[in-house]
């Protein structure tokens, strides 16, 4: 095993310096090479990138996962993550490498690997400058994985990079997705109100929304697996806020009604809320009326 790893390290070093030097037959030790590359990529993600990302999320900047899979049922999510995404992304980022030559090949390998990592920043809803400064850590596994899958594609063929991509998603991405599914992200209680928000990675049941209004504001919200942007549009002014796209349950109960802005501010403890329209007062936000009950099924 040590000799296999040493041989891979030498080959991969040559690949990084000049990719065209190691392009060879598709079946020359393909499985062993694939196993080494997969092990390195998994170890790098599990032992370095994921712990660093958790530290960033807890102590530096909350990392906000995007909505890519939130509307999917679990079975469809598995098909997309394990089959569709590996094939599509490898065809897009690694398939064209075989047609580049000489200096163009090195540019293509480095360019495609960096772009592959940057594209995965769209998996997150963060827009803070600090998030972009931390991008090399946050999408570090995709950056390293891009080079490793380019190595497999050029040395052994496209199917080996597709297989590595699929197995990586199965071992890393699917468990992470399952671990955040059903996670309570806001659990706030005071003498005036209680608010519990649970976030989901994939859809389990139909959307259900009930918002109870009084003349002076909102006193009860009961939501099951609804899009947060849609909920905020119902609570406040439609299209008045740009909101992190998330699939959530919300249980809110106030001893006395609070304004829509106050409730949106409470949700802003966890989710990004950017005002798009300057509020024109409480009547505009609440819509007036007596004991209104707004429901969407």
């Amino acid at each position: 095993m040590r000799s296999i790893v040493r041989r891979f390290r030498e080959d991969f070093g040559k690949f990084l310096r000049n990719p065209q030097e190691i392009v060879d037959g598709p079946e020359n030790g393909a499985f062993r090479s694939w196993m080494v590359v997969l092990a390195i990529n998994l170890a790098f993600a599990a032992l370095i990138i994921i712990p660093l990302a958790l530290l960033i999320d807890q102590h530096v900047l909350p990392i906000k996962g995007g909505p890519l899979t939130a509307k999917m049922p679990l079975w469809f999510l598995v098909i997309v993550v394990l089959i569709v995404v590996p094939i599509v992304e490898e065809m897009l980022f690694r398939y064209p490498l075989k047609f580049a030559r000489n200096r163009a090949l090195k540019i293509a390998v480095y360019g495609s690997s960096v772009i592959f990592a940057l594209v995965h920043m769209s998996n997150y809803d963060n827009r803070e400058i600090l998030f972009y400064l931390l991008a090399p850590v946050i999408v570090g596994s995709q950056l390293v994985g891009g080079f490793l899958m380019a190595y497999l594609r050029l040395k052994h063929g496209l199917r080996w990079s597709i297989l590595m991509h699929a197995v990586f998603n199965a071992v890393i991405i699917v468990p992470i997705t399952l671990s955040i599914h059903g996670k309570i992200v806001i659990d706030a209680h005071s003498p005036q109100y209680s608010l519990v928000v649970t976030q989901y990675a994939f859809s389990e049941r139909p959307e259900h929304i009930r918002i109870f209004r009084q003349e002076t504001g909102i006193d009860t919200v009961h939501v099951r697996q609804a899009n947060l942007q849609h909920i905020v549009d119902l609570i406040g002014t439609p299209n008045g806020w740009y909101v992190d796209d998330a699939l959530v349950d919300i249980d809110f109960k106030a001893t006395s009604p609070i304004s829509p802005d106050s409730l949106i501010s409470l949700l802003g403890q966890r989710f990004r809320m950017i005002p798009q329209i300057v509020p024109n007062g409480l009547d505009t936000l609440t819509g007036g009326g007596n004991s209104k009950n707004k429901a969407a099924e």
Side-chain angles (χ1 to χ4, degrees):
M1 176 59 71
R2 186 175 299 176
S3 62
I4 295 174
V5 173
R6 184 172 60 251
R7 190 179 307 117
F8 164 77
R9 187 173 65 245
E10 293 172 356
D11 272 357
F12 191 62
K14 292 179 182 178
F15 171 79
L16 293 177
R17 290 190 295 272
N18 191 351
Q20 66 185 9
E21 287 187 357
I22 66 162
V23 177
D24 58 18
E27 300 301 335
N28 184 18
F31 182 72
R32 285 186 302 175
S33 182
W34 177 82
M35 287 291 292
V36 172
V37 171
L38 176 64
I40 290 172
N41 202 22
L42 290 175
F44 181 74
L47 300 179
I48 298 176
I49 296 300
I50 292 176
L52 286 176
L54 290 174
L55 287 174
I56 291 171
D57 182 57
Q58 295 172 11
H59 302 290
V60 180
L61 177 73
I63 298 176
K64 302 170 184 178
L68 296 180
T69 62
K71 297 273 179 145
M72 303 177 187
L74 179 58
W75 66 268
F76 190 66
L77 183 150
V78 170
I79 291 174
V80 168
V81 172
L82 301 189
I83 299 176
V84 176
V85 168
I87 292 175
V88 170
E89 290 189 349
E90 293 309 300
M91 290 295 295
L92 180 62
F93 291 102
R94 254 67 68 178
Y95 176 74
L97 296 179
K98 201 71 172 180
F99 303 103
R101 293 291 183 271
N102 302 321
R103 183 175 177 80
L105 178 58
K106 186 172 185 177
I107 294 173
V109 167
Y110 277 78
S112 65
S113 299
V114 171
I115 294 172
F116 177 70
L118 293 177
V119 163
H120 283 80
M121 291 180 67
S122 65
N123 292 351
Y124 305 95
D125 275 327
N126 296 75
R127 295 296 181 270
E128 301 87 349
I129 294 176
L130 183 57
F131 171 77
Y132 293 104
L133 294 176
L134 294 170
V137 174
I138 295 169
V139 295
S141 63
Q142 286 87 358
L143 179 61
V144 172
F147 283 106
L148 291 171
M149 287 184 284
Y151 169 84
L152 284 176
R153 191 271 179 271
L154 289 172
K155 188 171 179 67
H156 300 298
L158 186 66
R159 63 182 176 273
W160 292 101
S161 65
I162 293 175
L163 183 60
M164 175 180 157
H165 199 146
V167 174
F168 180 88
N169 285 359
V171 175
I172 299 292
I173 305 302
V174 171
I176 289 176
T177 300
L178 293 176
S179 72
I180 64 175
H181 182 70
K183 180 181 179 182
I184 295 176
V185 293
I186 300 177
D187 189 4
H189 301 272
S190 77
Q192 290 76 39
Y193 68 87
S194 66
L195 173 64
V196 178
V197 179
T198 305
Q199 188 169 359
Y200 294 89
F202 52 86
S203 175
E204 291 180 327
R205 52 186 178 270
E207 176 184 279
H208 175 82
I209 303 174
R210 294 178 68 86
I211 301 173
F212 294 84
R213 298 178 185 268
Q214 306 294 333
E215 287 185 351
T216 55
I218 297 170
D219 60 12
T220 304
V221 177
H222 181 77
V223 172
R224 290 295 175 267
Q225 295 214 330
N227 179 270
L228 184 61
Q229 179 70 67
H230 180 48
I231 298 165
V232 171
D233 284 344
L234 293 176
I235 291 172
T237 303
N239 302 315
W241 299 83
Y242 177 80
V243 181
D244 283 337
D245 200 350
L247 188 68
V248 296
D249 287 353
I250 298 178
D251 289 290
F252 171 76
K253 182 68 177 178
T255 55
S256 60
I258 69 171
S259 70
D261 273 353
S262 297
L263 179 52
I264 290 171
S265 178
L266 291 174
L267 293 172
Q269 296 175 36
R270 172 66 185 182
F271 302 101
R272 187 170 45 132
M273 305 281 177
I274 301 176
Q276 303 297 299
I277 300 174
V278 178
N280 293 320
L282 184 61
D283 289 340
T284 301
L285 290 172
T286 62
N290 295 323
S291 300
K292 292 185 179 179
N293 171 13
K294 189 166 190 176
E297 299 292 336

